[in-house]
Amino acid sequence: METIHIYHTNDVHSHLENWPRIEKFLKQRKTHHQKHKEEILLFDIGDFIDRWHPYSEATKGKGNIQLLNECEYNAITIGNNEGINLPYDDLDHLYDEAHFDILTANFYKKNQVYPSWVKPYKIYPTKNGTRIGVIGVTANFAHLYELLGWKLTDPIMELKRWLPSLKEQSDIIICLSHLGLQDDEKIASEFQEIDVILGAHTHHYFEKGQLVGETLLGAAGKYGYLMGHVTLKLNDQKQINDKKAIVYEVKDLPEAANEQEQIQAFLSLGKERLSQKVTTLQVPLLNDPYKETNFSRLLCSSLKEWCKSDIAMINAGLLLGSLSGDVTEYDLLTICPHPINPCVVELTGREFKNILSETQDENLPHKQIKGLGFRGDVLGIFVYEGILVQDGRIFMNGKPLGMEEKYTLAMPDMFTFGHFFKEVIPSKQKNYFLPEFLRDLLKWKLQQMS
């Protein structure tokens, strides 16, 4: 019997406070399995990088790649945080020093050719001659990738394209899927030749895996809280006799030597590299998620000016602190860590009035938000630029609102993903501004003011 151990991480999102313990565990397991002449493979299923962390922001993700190298990962697939949160050149050179394979079958350059650093799949032979075929796919945010200069294709189409040849060359097939649970279940039902799907994107996890037909699904949640482990046992004909999946609670793993020092070092190095001064403020910019302040008005006016829109709207919860005196790039990251881009939609006056009415819900500012690129806690009140409500009447840049007149509204892109303003926004054409984040707009405006 041959035993193959597969360890996997996903959606770590630069939560490097958990990394020293994960690294120690993986190195110990590798030594253990090699001693017992058992095969070990190590995969990351995307969103390992998140630019909220100073170390990831300062190194544009390359520091994260070094961490994967040190643990001797075999392969990764790209998550949307790698794919659409880095400018083209930064992503194109992100993996220059990678010692592992980047497997993403539906990720191309605009000419429909794979970048030199991407493969659709790879075969990993074991010492016993078992051929393990591994293919990767990522979430199909085609429009956003296109704005950055890439070409994304339908992941299901790519699986149909590559799996026949992969099956011919492999005894076992593993799919690294940064698509989400619903798509993973669909793939398991449709492509029964896949033995294991390691999932990500929707931050789901399975304590003991999940079987869909004969396909085993494994996933390890988010933020490095969990570590996934799939065990495959094969007979002499290289067929799987037994397969199981478990997860380990990282907080329960043995503490790494100098763990707190390592965690602090990630933060300190990032802070040092982001110490460049942006401006010096003569008047503090104050933040309060439940009140309109000079800081929230500045962000909103910067958004309107950058996008050249008629009006703009933000939520005050985007700002996580105040600024005063000397302001550095680290300060801007600290108070605005979100990978959120500007976006413009065109609305009629009537449609905007409906949105305005929704934002006046007194419970909305206290709403806690997870995901959508938001890295804060509460939504906060809504702040507007170019809009005045007086005695029940709405004015756009000093003129009464025209119900059938069309206006361009600039807003954070988090409001365009279908979770807010469902009666109006989802059906609208969206003009996303990439690769700039909101903190880039703040930097631009502060430097312009100084």
Side-chain angles (χ1 to χ4, degrees):
M1 242 188 197
E2 181 180 16
T3 302
I4 299 168
H5 295 275
I6 302 159
Y7 292 87
H8 57 101
T9 50
N10 62 270
D11 297 288
V12 172
H13 284 279
S14 289
H15 277 265
L16 303 183
E17 66 273 17
N18 296 315
W19 191 252
R21 210 168 285 204
I22 292 173
E23 180 181 18
K24 177 183 178 180
F25 173 76
L26 289 175
K27 288 180 175 178
Q28 286 179 336
R29 298 309 294 170
K30 192 175 188 75
T31 300
H32 171 82
H33 294 311
Q34 288 175 340
K35 180 180 178 181
H36 290 82
K37 301 188 185 313
E38 296 175 332
E39 295 289 336
I40 176 172
L41 290 167
L42 184 51
F43 302 120
D44 183 77
I45 325 298
D47 281 3
F48 186 68
I49 296 168
D50 193 317
R51 289 173 57 190
W52 74 268
H53 194 290
Y55 185 65
S56 302
E57 173 74 340
T59 64
K60 290 297 187 287
K62 287 193 172 185
N64 296 63
I65 302 310
Q66 185 58 34
L67 300 179
L68 296 173
N69 283 341
E70 289 167 1
C71 286
E72 299 182 324
Y73 273 67
N74 295 92
I76 62 103
T77 197
I78 296 169
N80 48 287
N81 267 264
E82 287 88 13
I84 57 178
N85 287 339
L86 286 168
Y88 183 95
D89 287 340
D90 288 318
L91 178 56
D92 199 31
H93 292 285
L94 175 64
Y95 300 103
D96 284 353
E97 305 299 324
H99 301 162
F100 48 83
D101 298 305
I102 297 92
L103 307 178
T104 314
N106 62 321
F107 180 88
Y108 295 90
K109 295 163 83 171
K110 274 200 168 178
N111 58 1
Q112 200 85 8
V113 172
Y114 287 118
S116 60
W117 42 273
V118 168
K119 303 181 183 75
Y121 66 84
K122 184 168 178 178
I123 313 297
Y124 296 90
T126 70
K127 295 181 186 67
N128 285 358
T130 301
R131 301 165 301 170
I132 303 172
V134 183
I135 187 168
V137 283
T138 194
N140 189 17
F141 294 112
H143 178 58
L144 297 179
Y145 277 93
E146 183 179 350
L147 292 174
L148 287 165
W150 303 105
K151 169 75 174 176
L152 228 66
T153 55
D154 177 64
I156 306 300
M157 180 193 75
E158 294 292 349
L159 289 174
K160 289 178 179 177
R161 175 187 177 188
W162 293 109
L163 278 173
S165 59
L166 188 57
K167 187 177 180 181
E168 286 181 8
Q169 302 172 60
S170 309
D171 302 301
I172 296 168
I173 296 177
I174 298 171
C175 179
L176 312 182
S177 166
H178 196 88
L179 300 181
L181 177 56
Q182 188 173 355
D183 282 340
D184 291 351
E185 291 174 336
K186 177 183 176 183
I187 289 168
S189 298
E190 188 171 342
F191 302 100
Q192 297 174 22
E193 61 268 44
I194 298 177
D195 297 291
V196 178
I197 298 174
L198 301 179
H201 188 50
T202 45
H203 298 182
H204 59 287
Y205 69 92
F206 305 109
E207 290 186 0
K208 295 184 178 179
Q210 175 177 301
L211 276 173
V212 177
E214 294 300 314
T215 302
L216 178 65
L217 273 58
K222 64 178 182 177
Y223 300 167
Y225 295 152
L226 302 170
M227 179 84 215
H229 179 194
V230 171
T231 305
L232 305 178
K233 294 190 175 181
L234 282 62
N235 60 24
D236 290 341
Q237 285 74 46
K238 305 188 190 312
Q239 298 168 328
I240 297 174
N241 270 358
D242 183 53
K243 53 187 171 185
K244 64 180 181 180
I246 59 173
V247 291
Y248 303 97
E249 291 263 7
V250 169
K251 67 179 175 59
D252 295 334
L253 298 177
E255 187 173 337
N258 303 316
E259 184 173 291
Q260 293 306 316
E261 289 87 344
Q262 290 184 60
I263 294 166
Q264 187 57 47
F266 291 135
L267 292 168
S268 298
L269 182 58
K271 183 176 181 179
E272 181 183 341
R273 293 193 180 186
L274 295 172
S275 62
Q276 300 92 331
K277 189 171 80 168
V278 174
T279 192
T280 300
L281 294 174
Q282 304 304 318
V283 177
L285 291 171
L286 303 177
N287 167 65
D288 187 329
Y290 303 116
K291 294 178 183 176
E292 185 173 319
T293 66
N294 61 343
F295 201 0
S296 57
R297 287 195 299 271
L298 177 69
L299 177 57
C300 196
S301 65
S302 302
L303 180 63
K304 179 177 180 290
E305 186 178 351
W306 179 271
C307 296
K308 297 181 172 61
S309 60
D310 296 321
I311 50 178
M313 174 181 80
I314 66 159
N315 57 299
L318 286 166
L319 295 169
L320 307 188
S322 302
L323 294 176
S324 62
D326 290 342
V327 176
T328 66
E329 292 187 353
Y330 174 76
D331 295 326
L332 292 181
L333 175 67
T334 302
I335 56 90
C336 198
H338 330 281
I340 290 178
N341 307 104
C343 182
V344 171
V345 295
E346 186 178 75
L347 306 170
T348 65
R350 191 179 309 279
E351 289 169 332
F352 177 75
K353 185 179 179 182
N354 291 336
I355 288 177
L356 187 65
S357 177
E358 282 192 58
T359 66
Q360 303 306 306
D361 182 343
E362 61 183 18
N363 296 315
L364 204 54
H366 301 275
K367 184 179 177 66
Q368 294 187 327
I369 306 296
K370 300 294 181 186
L372 307 176
F374 188 69
R375 302 292 183 257
D377 296 314
V378 297
L379 191 65
I381 67 162
F382 281 81
V383 178
Y384 315 96
E385 181 70 18
I387 301 158
L388 176 67
V389 180
Q390 193 173 55
D391 299 327
R393 299 180 67 196
I394 303 170
F395 294 87
M396 298 285 205
N397 296 310
K399 298 179 181 178
L401 177 72
M403 289 297 154
E404 305 308 321
E405 195 169 335
K406 292 185 177 179
Y407 303 92
T408 52
L409 169 66
M411 66 175 79
D413 65 9
M414 62 182 280
F415 295 123
T416 69
F417 300 138
H419 295 262
F420 297 90
F421 315 120
K422 296 177 183 178
E423 298 297 317
V424 178
I425 298 297
S427 62
K428 293 294 179 182
Q429 183 174 342
K430 293 122 186 139
N431 181 18
Y432 295 100
F433 289 71
L434 278 75
E436 294 82 13
F437 293 156
L438 295 180
R439 62 176 172 269
D440 296 316
L441 272 62
L442 278 175
K443 179 180 177 181
W444 163 76
K445 187 62 177 178
L446 289 171
Q447 289 179 328
Q448 188 184 70
M449 290 165 59
S450 64

